[in-house]
Amino acid sequence: KDKDKSASKDSTPEGAAKRQDGAETPKQQLLDIIGNMKVEVSYRKKLQQLKASENKKRAMNKLEGPDNEGSVPQGITEDTQRGRPLNPELVKAASAVASSLPRNKKQTESELLAQLRRHEETTDKQRKGGTINIRDVISEMTIKRQSPNHREVRMSGRISLQLDEDGQRLRRERSSAQSMDSRRYLSLKVGKRLNIFTKASTEPEHALKTVSSPTIWDLEFAKEVAAVTAQPPRNGFEEMIQWTKEGILWEFPIDNEVGMEDDAEFHEHIFLDKHLEGFPKEGPIRHFMELVICGLSKNPYLSVKQKVEHIEWFQKYFEEKKELLQEI
Amino acid sequence: MAAAALCWALRAARQVLPLPCPRQVRSYHVDWRMLRDVKRRKTAYEYADERLRINAIRKNSILPKELQEAADKEIAALPRDSCPVRIRNRCVLTSRPRGVKRRWRLSRIVFRHFADHAQMSGVQRAMW
């Protein structure tokens, strides 16, 4: 049944696979093709790594594109790139697929072949360097059947995206902006300006003017209004809002420094020598105070005020004990 | 203009008077021992700084011994309830002095009660 294929560098495993299919049922053919596909993917990737040139890479990408598909038409699309018109093997494979699928066989077969022809067209365009409008392609394709056609539609979109990544993205974007269907996407600069985000609108500044200190009647009125309008919370969110306002619930994202207003710089925390002026310059007391200061400078939990108070307390204490110290 | 003034007045009032909200308020201590423990905690908080500083003088190998003895006398003169050692971590709900888990401040019986009624967030019966 199978014909011998023309010898090409990548086709040897495939050719072997095709030749094996000889006397088996179409289903067996399918399974064999699928099974061989797995091997060929890895082989293809190895080839890709070896060859560095762009043209070859392109060809490999085209091959890899169809390789990413899970379904059978992989082998079929590879074949198309070898021969321009749809190969007889291709047709045969399509018929095999159609026969394997549970639905209307002739229709699936014809649709698969139509898909392949379209795919061929797109690959030809890419080879020539033409741009692709994926959306036109997809919009044209009628999606009746679920599995094979739908998958192929998505795959073709993905394939063209992959190929475009190589270098044609800019071109695609520009052309897409210009030549896209009007119902789909518009460019950024088309349309009337809405003037939502104009800069520096200075209207609301005039509204809030300085008010004199509130009278008692104002406060009472405000209390009344607040009591009336404060409805019980309708849901958990409003309850949490109320709690946050009261201070029961913290504000998220949690600010570790809430309530801690330490305006002092780091040098005020660490270099505390200037507070040691009231102490004698030599002796055990100085030694002791220097240790105290060393400990305070390493303390991140106290504010500068607290540290200064600490030192001043010691100063007072030692002054009271001066007579005792003089006896020593 | 009037609306702005009203808004400002409302904001001021809200800051002055918190919104009333029904909450569980406990207006008593469970027993006298709990009350005494609360008093001890308060005085310990007040005298904490002084105790720390006087102890820094006492536990010292640099300062002369006479100074340290004077500091000893001073710290002994402070009120007895000011030392943190006298604080007992009682159960918050039942004032039980023993079997209290620190994380929840509850005695084991209360903890079990709430956990079984699924009122302790994240607490589950152990099974492994």
Side-chain angles (χ1 to χ4, degrees):
Chain A
K1 247 189 175 180
D2 283 335
K3 295 175 188 173
D4 291 333
K5 290 181 64 185
S6 56
S8 57
K9 44 187 174 175
D10 301 331
S11 69
T12 39
E14 284 171 14
K18 297 283 178 191
R19 268 171 244 135
Q20 283 169 19
D21 289 342
E24 299 163 5
T25 58
K27 203 174 187 184
Q28 267 299 306
Q29 280 180 29
L30 258 179
L31 290 172
D32 286 338
I33 292 167
I34 292 167
N36 290 326
M37 280 300 101
K38 290 175 191 168
V39 175
E40 281 148 21
V41 164
S42 57
Y43 176 73
R44 202 146 283 112
K45 279 180 184 169
K46 275 185 213 167
L47 278 172
Q48 227 195 1
Q49 284 162 14
L50 288 171
K51 294 159 190 174
S53 58
E54 268 198 11
N55 287 337
K56 282 175 186 173
K57 246 191 180 175
R58 249 193 168 185
M60 295 316 287
N61 277 338
K62 284 173 199 166
L63 287 169
E64 241 196 345
D67 278 346
N68 291 335
E69 295 180 17
S71 55
V72 170
Q74 286 180 25
I76 305 161
T77 50
E78 285 155 25
D79 292 342
T80 56
Q81 286 146 17
R82 274 171 214 109
R84 201 39 49 99
L86 293 179
N87 275 345
E89 291 192 45
L90 200 156
V91 177
K92 207 176 295 168
S95 64
V97 171
S99 60
S100 71
L101 290 172
R103 293 183 190 130
N104 201 346
K105 293 173 186 177
K106 281 189 181 174
Q107 256 203 345
T108 48
E109 195 182 324
S110 59
E111 279 182 354
L112 277 172
L113 292 173
Q115 286 289 335
L116 295 166
R117 268 184 227 112
R118 268 183 233 122
H119 190 79
E120 232 193 12
E121 284 171 15
T122 55
T123 50
D124 285 346
K125 269 192 207 171
Q126 282 159 21
R127 272 191 208 154
K128 291 166 193 172
T131 55
I132 302 165
N133 290 326
I134 316 160
R135 292 183 183 93
D136 286 342
V137 169
I138 295 171
S139 60
E140 283 172 33
M141 293 196 270
T142 57
I143 301 168
K144 284 181 199 170
R145 299 290 159 131
Q146 277 295 318
S147 30
N149 301 340
H150 217 76
R151 234 186 290 159
E152 274 190 64
V153 162
R154 273 183 236 144
M155 291 305 154
S156 61
R158 241 181 265 171
I159 290 158
S160 39
L161 269 173
Q162 277 180 14
L163 289 160
D164 276 337
E165 275 172 20
D166 284 343
Q168 300 179 4
R169 219 188 232 160
L170 287 171
R171 227 192 291 170
R172 197 182 113 244
E173 280 180 358
R174 272 184 234 150
S175 68
S176 70
Q178 294 156 14
S179 61
M180 203 58 71
D181 284 337
S182 58
R183 54 193 149 99
R184 291 279 175 165
Y185 292 90
L186 299 172
S187 73
L188 287 172
K189 300 185 183 175
V190 164
K192 248 197 301 179
R193 279 192 155 242
L194 286 172
N195 287 326
I196 298 174
F197 297 109
T198 49
K199 272 189 198 175
S201 53
T202 54
E203 321 158 7
E205 291 177 8
H206 305 302
L208 297 168
K209 292 176 188 170
T210 53
V211 186
S212 56
S213 62
T215 64
I216 301 173
W217 306 115
D218 283 340
L219 284 173
E220 280 293 323
F221 180 60
K223 254 197 275 178
E224 255 190 70
V225 170
V228 167
T229 55
Q231 299 292 327
R234 293 176 296 175
N235 51 34
F237 289 116
E238 293 196 3
E239 200 182 31
M240 282 202 277
I241 292 170
Q242 213 175 14
W243 285 345
T244 313
K245 282 182 197 163
E246 289 177 36
I248 300 169
L249 199 59
W250 286 347
E251 288 183 15
F252 295 96
I254 289 183
D255 182 17
N256 275 325
E257 292 166 10
V258 165
M260 207 172 78
E261 291 173 20
D262 208 9
D263 304 326
E265 301 282 308
F266 73 97
H267 53 83
E268 290 173 46
H269 279 271
I270 294 173
F271 303 115
L272 299 161
D273 268 342
K274 51 192 167 179
H275 304 291
L276 276 191
E277 284 162 13
F279 294 93
K281 291 208 174 177
E282 284 177 350
I285 295 181
R286 183 78 184 193
H287 188 26
F288 174 74
M289 286 316 294
E290 275 172 12
L291 286 175
V292 166
I293 272 172
C294 178
L296 280 179
S297 67
K298 293 183 191 174
N299 189 333
Y301 302 107
L302 297 179
S303 66
V304 178
K305 269 190 192 175
Q306 285 171 322
K307 293 182 186 179
V308 171
E309 276 175 22
H310 200 82
I311 298 170
E312 281 173 6
W313 185 92
F314 274 112
Q315 204 171 20
K316 262 193 290 176
Y317 184 81
F318 287 127
E319 277 180 20
E320 286 169 15
K321 305 289 169 183
K322 254 189 180 175
E323 309 89 35
L324 203 105
L325 292 171
Q326 256 123 39
E327 287 168 31
I328 305 164
Chain B
M1 177 56 190
L6 179 63
C7 288
W8 184 91
L10 266 173
R11 244 176 273 145
R14 209 177 286 143
Q15 282 161 14
V16 168
L17 315 145
L19 291 169
C21 144
R23 232 182 302 166
Q24 197 190 54
V25 176
R26 201 168 285 269
S27 57
Y28 61 94
H29 296 289
V30 179
D31 55 7
W32 291 93
R33 287 173 288 176
M34 192 190 242
L35 183 77
R36 278 182 271 151
D37 195 59
V38 166
K39 272 197 274 180
R40 281 179 204 130
R41 282 169 194 264
K42 279 190 193 157
T43 55
Y45 182 79
E46 285 165 28
Y47 286 94
D49 291 337
E50 277 190 46
R51 287 193 93 95
L52 172 75
R53 288 156 189 167
I54 296 172
N55 268 326
I57 295 174
R58 282 174 67 218
K59 314 283 180 179
N60 220 326
S61 51
I62 308 164
L63 295 175
K65 281 188 189 173
E66 289 82 2
L67 205 57
Q68 285 171 3
E69 284 162 21
D72 281 342
K73 287 178 205 163
E74 274 204 16
I75 203 170
L78 288 177
R80 214 165 248 194
D81 274 352
S82 65
C83 60
V85 191
R86 294 185 119 221
I87 295 171
R88 181 80 196 182
N89 291 324
R90 289 178 164 269
C91 169
V92 164
L93 294 181
T94 53
S95 177
R96 197 162 191 275
R98 294 194 174 100
V100 181
K101 272 313 216 177
R102 235 200 181 168
R103 183 172 168 183
W104 296 277
R105 302 179 185 175
L106 292 177
S107 88
R108 55 179 178 83
I109 305 159
V110 181
F111 176 80
R112 243 177 75 92
H113 178 266
F114 284 134
D116 286 339
H117 287 72
Q119 285 165 5
M120 298 290 272
S121 172
V123 175
Q124 197 190 18
R125 275 188 161 259
M127 179 165 52
W128 73 96

